[in-house]
Amino acid sequence: MSWLNIIFIVYQIIAIMAVVHVIMDNRQPAKTMAWALVIYFVPVVGIVFYLFFGINHRKERYVSERSMNQLTKRSMLEFAEQQNLRLPERHKPLIDLFINQNLSLPFKDNLVDICTDGYQFIAELMEDFGKAKDHIHLDMYIFADDALGMLVADALIDKAREGVEVKVIYDDVGCWNVHHRFFERMREAGIEVRSFMPVRFPSFTSKVNYRNHRKIIVIDGLVGYIGGMNIAQRYVKGTGDMPWRDTMLRVSGGGVHALQRAFLVDWYFVDRTLLSDKKYYPRCEDINNNCLAQVVTSGPTTPYPEIMQGYVRIILGAKRYLYLETPYFLPNDSVLFALKTAALGGVDVRVICPRRSDAKFVEWASRSYLREVLEAGVQVSLYEAGFLHSKMLVCDDAITTCGSTNLDFRSFENNFEANIFFFDEGVAMRMKTIFLRDLEQSVLLKDLKKRMRNNFLVRLWESVTRMLSPLF
C-alpha cells in the first residue's frame, strides 16, 4: 500500500471522527449538516476551519455564578429603591422573560439621545469624557489605533492623569490589527486595559469563535452609551466612497445602572476582580418620565439565547407594524419563521439592509433569505446612501431596541451581545421616524429584483452561500 493511500485512509478516519463529533453536539440540523459537508468535502481546510470556528464550548461557564449573583444583588438594591415603578401590563410577559432568563431588571425614568452618525456620537462622548469625575468604563469590540482611536485614547489618558478611574475592555480578535503599543501606552498612563479572551495558540481553537461584540460605555454611573458603533475612524468617515450609517444611544437615568452591571460582569471575566462598590451606582437625577428600559445581554455560555427570544416574542406579538434595520440578514429558523408568520398575518413588516455590504460572502448569503421573506409579504428595502450598520427594531409605537445584535446566526448563538429595550411610546416614535428617514434613502428589493441578474448560476451561488450561512 502506497503512502498516498495510507494518508487518504487516515484522513478519512479523521474526517469521520470530526463529523461524528459534530453530530454528537446536537446542534440545529441545518448547522450540523453544513459542518458535516464542509468537513467531508473540503479536504484538510474543512477540518482546520472546524477546529478554529466550529467546536462548541457553549457548556463552559466563563463567568462564575457567585460573581453574577453578587453583581445582580447590587443592581437589585438599586431596583428596590425605585419608587412607584409601574410595569405596563401588555409588556409584562416580555419584561418577565428578560428577568427570568437574564436577570435583567427594568429601570424607569430615562432620557435617550439617539446618535445616527459617528460625528454626533464622538462629539457627545468627548464632552461626557471631559465632565467625568470618578470613573469611565469602556467595553468595545473594536478600539482602533487610527486617528479617531488616538483621539479617544488621549482623552482617556488625560482623565486618568486627573485621577479618574478608567477601565477599558477590548475584544482580542476584533483588535487583531491594532498594535500592542497602542494599548500599552494607555496602561503606562494608569488606565486599566484588558483584552477579552486573548487568542494565543494552542488555545486558539477554544476562543476564536466566541467574541465580545458589545459596545458599552459608562461615565460616572450617570451616563451610558450602547449601540452599534465601535471606536474606529470608519464609523465617522466611512470607507472609501461609502459613508457609514449607524445608531448609538446615549442614556441617562436608571438604565445606566443596567449598563454598569453589564460592564462590571465583563470586567470580572477579564480581570477576576469583583467590583460592587456603591459609587458605581450613584443616585440618578430626578427625571420622572417613567420611560422604562431593560439592558439584556446574551452569549454562548447562557442556556438560552435571550436577545433572540426577545426578538421572536416581539415579532409574534406585533399587531400593526414591525420595522427592522440590520447590516447582515442571516436569520435562524426561529426568527425567519416569526417574520414570515407576522407578515402573513397582516402585520406591516419592513426590513432595511445595506445594498452594499462590507462582507461580500454574507451579502450573497443574505439574498436568498431576503427573497424568501419578500415572498411572504415582508417589505424589503436596500439602503443606498452608504453602508447601513445600524441594528434596531421598533414595534407598534410601543417597543424599541438597539444594540450590538445583528440579525444573524453569529450574534444569536456565538457572540457576547448587549441590547437595550425601551417600553416607551416617545422613544419608539423617534426610532420610527429615523427608520422612515432611512427608508427614503433605500430602494425596494422587489423593484431592484426586476433589474438584477437572476440566472441559474446566480441563484445557485446564493443557495450555496445560504447553505453555509449557519457557519458565518
Side-chain angles (χ1 to χ4, degrees), residues 217-230:
I217 303 171
V218 180
I219 300 159
D220 287 346
L222 299 172
V223 175
Y225 289 82
I226 183 171
M229 297 190 195
N230 289 291

Side-chain angles (χ1 to χ4, degrees), residues 41-104:
F41 290 105
V42 186
V44 182
V45 175
I47 290 180
V48 172
F49 193 71
Y50 177 66
L51 290 174
F52 277 51
F53 299 102
I55 295 179
N56 191 353
H57 295 270
R58 184 178 298 277
K59 299 180 179 64
E60 295 183 17
R61 296 285 179 166
Y62 293 115
V63 182
S64 75
E65 292 295 330
R66 181 171 177 271
S67 71
M68 281 290 292
N69 288 338
Q70 287 184 271
L71 288 169
T72 300
K73 285 179 181 178
R74 175 58 61 186
S75 291
M76 282 182 177
L77 176 61
E78 301 303 320
F79 170 70
E81 292 179 358
Q82 295 187 94
Q83 301 296 320
N84 303 316
L85 177 66
R86 299 187 304 275
L87 301 182
E89 194 62 33
R90 63 170 172 160
H91 300 317
K92 199 168 183 303
L94 180 60
I95 294 171
D96 287 343
L97 170 70
F98 290 144
I99 293 174
N100 295 333
Q101 300 288 65
N102 195 253
L103 298 174
S104 300

Side-chain angles (χ1 to χ4, degrees), residues 22-250:
V22 174
I23 294 171
M24 293 295 291
D25 204 32
N26 293 323
R27 307 171 190 231
Q28 295 176 358
K31 198 165 189 176
T32 299
M33 183 62 68
W35 274 121
L37 290 172
V38 168
I39 290 170
Y40 201 80
F41 290 105
V42 186
V44 182
V45 175
I47 290 180
V48 172
F49 193 71
Y50 177 66
L51 290 174
F52 277 51
F53 299 102
I55 295 179
N56 191 353
H57 295 270
R58 184 178 298 277
K59 299 180 179 64
E60 295 183 17
R61 296 285 179 166
Y62 293 115
V63 182
S64 75
E65 292 295 330
R66 181 171 177 271
S67 71
M68 281 290 292
N69 288 338
Q70 287 184 271
L71 288 169
T72 300
K73 285 179 181 178
R74 175 58 61 186
S75 291
M76 282 182 177
L77 176 61
E78 301 303 320
F79 170 70
E81 292 179 358
Q82 295 187 94
Q83 301 296 320
N84 303 316
L85 177 66
R86 299 187 304 275
L87 301 182
E89 194 62 33
R90 63 170 172 160
H91 300 317
K92 199 168 183 303
L94 180 60
I95 294 171
D96 287 343
L97 170 70
F98 290 144
I99 293 174
N100 295 333
Q101 300 288 65
N102 195 253
L103 298 174
S104 300
L105 302 175
F107 289 90
K108 68 184 184 74
D109 300 336
N110 295 280
L111 293 178
V112 185
D113 189 14
I114 306 172
C115 303
T116 56
D117 67 76
Y119 289 102
Q120 180 188 2
F121 164 52
I122 293 300
E124 294 190 10
L125 182 65
M126 297 299 285
E127 182 178 353
D128 287 329
F129 280 172
K131 296 176 182 177
K133 292 181 171 55
D134 185 79
H135 62 270
I136 297 173
H137 294 160
L138 192 145
D139 190 349
M140 283 283 148
Y141 176 62
I142 298 172
F143 195 155
D145 55 353
D146 55 21
L148 181 67
M150 293 297 293
L151 176 68
V152 173
D154 288 344
L156 294 175
I157 289 171
D158 288 343
K159 298 309 293 188
R161 287 171 177 167
E162 291 175 12
V164 174
E165 171 198 297
V166 182
K167 289 180 167 59
V168 173
I169 301 173
Y170 68 91
D171 187 79
D172 190 73
V173 172
C175 296
W176 259 353
N177 61 346
V178 178
H179 292 97
H180 178 72
R181 177 62 190 159
F182 175 72
F183 294 114
E184 196 58 37
R185 175 172 167 263
M186 285 192 278
R187 291 189 180 97
E188 291 171 356
I191 297 174
E192 296 181 75
V193 183
R194 303 289 183 273
S195 63
F196 188 92
M197 289 176 66
V199 175
R200 301 291 182 268
F201 203 81
S203 60
F204 187 90
T205 58
S206 67
K207 298 179 180 180
V208 72
N209 202 35
Y210 304 109
R211 307 317 316 163
N212 187 348
H213 195 239
R214 296 167 185 160
K215 292 93 174 169
I216 296 174
I217 303 171
V218 180
I219 300 159
D220 287 346
L222 299 172
V223 175
Y225 289 82
I226 183 171
M229 297 190 195
N230 289 291
I231 305 298
Q233 189 164 309
R234 63 181 178 273
Y235 288 81
V236 176
K237 291 189 173 183
T239 56
D241 63 342
M242 191 162 60
W244 202 282
R245 161 70 185 93
D246 215 326
T247 305
M248 198 78 172
L249 305 184
R250 180 188 184 273

Side-chain angles (χ1 to χ4, degrees), residues 29 55 78 132 279 287 298 309 396 411 434:
I55 295 179
E78 301 303 320
K279 73 172 186 174
I287 296 174
S298 65
Q309 284 181 308
D396 290 346
S411 277
I434 291 170

Side-chain angles (χ1 to χ4, degrees), residues 367-375 449 452 454 462:
R367 287 178 184 171
S368 64
Y369 287 105
L370 292 172
R371 293 177 195 271
E372 183 174 342
V373 295
L374 180 66
E375 292 170 0
K449 188 178 175 184
M452 292 172 62
N454 198 28
E462 289 177 0

